[in-house]
Amino acid sequence: MGNGIQVRDRFADGAQYIGGKLRSGTSGRHHDVVNPATGETVYSYELAGTADVDAAVAAARDAFPGWAGATPAERSEAMHRFAAVLAEQADDFAYVESLQCGKPIKLSTEFDVPGTVDNTAFFAGAARHLEGKSAAEYDGDHTSYVRREAIGVVGSIAPWNYPLQMAAWKILPAVAAGNTIVLKPAEITPLTSLMFAQAATEAGIPDGVINIVTGAGKDAGEHLVGHPDVVMTSFTGSTAVGKRVAEIATSTVKRLHLELGGKAPFVVFDDADLEAAVNGAVAGALINTGQDCTAATRAYIQRPLYDAFVRGVAALMETVRLGDPFDPSTDLGPLISHAQRDRVAGFVERARAYATVVTGGEAPGGELAAGAYYRPTLVAGAAQDSEIVQSEIFGPVLVVLPFDTDDEGIRLANDTPYGLAASAWSRDLYRANRATREIKAGCVWVNDHIPIISEMPHGGYKASGFGKDMSSYSFEEYTQVKHVMYDNTAVARKDWHRTIFGDR
């Protein structure tokens, strides 16, 4: 694929993928996919309505018995083929991901796409390792063992910041465990989710196992979450929307997995490698233009290093190159939309009343003026209870605050409603180890910030949600644990029956 015309051609039949085929939505409302780097429309389609959700759930329900009944080896082989198809189409995926999101092509090529291929390969292997407790005679008279069984049709909702990776995180563990799925991607970035489902079909995964409905949250999303034939919902997005998803899911007694907002602390102790911390902070704050729920957003620096850290981060931020996402030298692309750019700018403008904008804090002009760009921004001097410290900004903005004692640094790190990710920077093993124990977050990096791997779980504490994506731990979300117990005595009248009738 090389241009927007080919994207339109590839999805000419519509942006719904149901039962192995593309089709148009039936809501009667159209939506444009816009390249945020240029403001140009790259694809227009009709949004899904409730009838499309019903059709997708029906396709998933019909496919479930066959897919759940396949052997682990059969599911694994199909998913290995899936990984191979994704690898063959890596350039297309990277191009379309950058086109719809505005992310630099080097990020799509080196992070999003290979991470998704690796995740698919991991779950292809994990499909053969759905383990339960060992069979044993725990009471002496019975043999017990545990089965892990697929739960049924999963209805998941993915966000716009990493459309391909989030589609994979939702789909792969569900189908590896034998479930079928209906995924609703964000309506502004549906293209790589559709391509992902098409690649699964090319790999031989049966029709109906993976379905995509692209519609608005109020219509398609809420109908999917509340659908009586959907037994589980997995949602990634804001905490505010997550609360609404939880209300609908719990009213129908569904299993629920939520990966919500974050406000990751970046805690630098006074014995840290300052150069490493400066580089890590800029990279961790600016990845995906800061549109990452694990991005470094609050840097707490022990006072002896504070001034040097502020100078170093500001200087390095000023070298970051904004530009055309398809230029390999571009470091930072636009935000997802002008609305999101304006939202980020609003946080910074309000902060000027109580803090100092050290660098950035503006949208660039010139050739980039048509896009949703915003310069890398460092804010200092804000109070811990201020909006810019407490609220998720989701943009290329880092706030830096000093601290004096280790106790204070860890206390400040924990002092927001969120708990998704964090990092601690120190050369002292005991100091770093204390931070990993006491910082309340689902992932705590030491002397780095951002790397993820398929083998390890991703998920948060507190208002960041519950449950895990990736890794074998994700199977806890997508399997039903069943205890099976066999009597070994062949005795008709058991000793315990006396509690109901008769004597010993």
Side-chain angles (χ1 to χ4, degrees), residues 324-346:
D324 177 1
F326 292 101
D327 183 340
S329 67
T330 292
D331 298 320
L332 198 73
L335 289 149
I336 192 64
S337 67
H338 285 84
Q340 178 66 11
R341 193 269 310 277
D342 293 345
R343 178 181 178 276
V344 170

Side-chain angles (χ1 to χ4, degrees), residues 60-303:
R61 186 186 60 222
D62 291 346
F64 175 71
W67 184 247
T71 67
E74 288 168 339
R75 289 197 296 269
S76 176
E77 288 169 5
M79 294 184 70
H80 276 299
R81 294 193 301 270
F82 188 12
V85 172
L86 294 172
E88 290 169 1
Q89 299 177 8
D91 290 345
D92 287 355
F93 275 98
Y95 169 77
V96 177
E97 193 76 335
S98 288
L99 184 70
Q100 67 179 354
C101 298
K103 61 181 67 190
I105 192 66
K106 66 179 180 180
L107 180 64
S108 296
T109 302
E110 299 176 25
F111 184 76
D112 297 65
V113 174
T116 301
V117 173
D118 181 75
N119 213 225
T120 307
F122 170 80
F123 278 106
R128 301 185 74 159
H129 296 282
L130 286 170
E131 296 178 349
K133 201 168 188 176
S134 304
E137 290 68 50
Y138 293 98
D139 72 348
D141 290 338
H142 302 81
T143 297
S144 287
Y145 68 88
V146 167
R147 292 175 56 89
R148 280 194 181 274
E149 297 180 348
I151 57 176
V153 177
V154 176
S156 293
I157 301 176
W160 48 256
N161 57 332
Y162 290 101
L164 177 60
Q165 285 195 310
M166 293 298 98
W169 285 18
K170 298 303 179 197
I171 291 169
L172 295 171
V175 300
N179 303 291
T180 56
I181 189 167
V182 178
L183 175 77
K184 192 198 88 66
E187 59 267 36
I188 59 176
T189 55
L191 301 179
T192 48
S193 297
L194 293 165
M195 292 170 63
F196 191 73
Q198 288 177 313
T201 300
E202 291 180 43
I205 291 177
D207 293 347
V209 171
I210 299 172
N211 306 275
I212 309 292
V213 290
T214 308
K218 284 288 186 182
D219 301 322
E222 292 197 0
H223 190 63
L224 177 62
V225 174
H227 200 289
D229 291 333
V230 169
V231 299
M232 175 193 165
T233 290
S234 177
F235 170 80
T236 295
S238 71
T239 298
V241 177
K243 290 178 180 178
R244 175 60 180 156
V245 168
E247 289 174 0
I248 299 170
T250 53
S251 70
T252 53
V253 198
K254 284 182 172 52
R255 186 177 293 201
L256 183 62
H257 166 221
L258 298 174
E259 197 266 90
L260 306 176
K263 190 70 177 176
F266 185 100
V267 184
V268 181
F269 296 100
D270 57 14
D271 67 328
D273 181 327
L274 179 62
E275 181 182 8
V278 166
N279 281 274
V282 174
L286 300 185
I287 186 169
N288 203 36
T289 318
Q291 299 168 127
D292 187 310
C293 49
T294 64
T297 59
R298 299 177 289 139
Y300 296 103
I301 314 303
Q302 205 149 23
R303 207 169 293 275

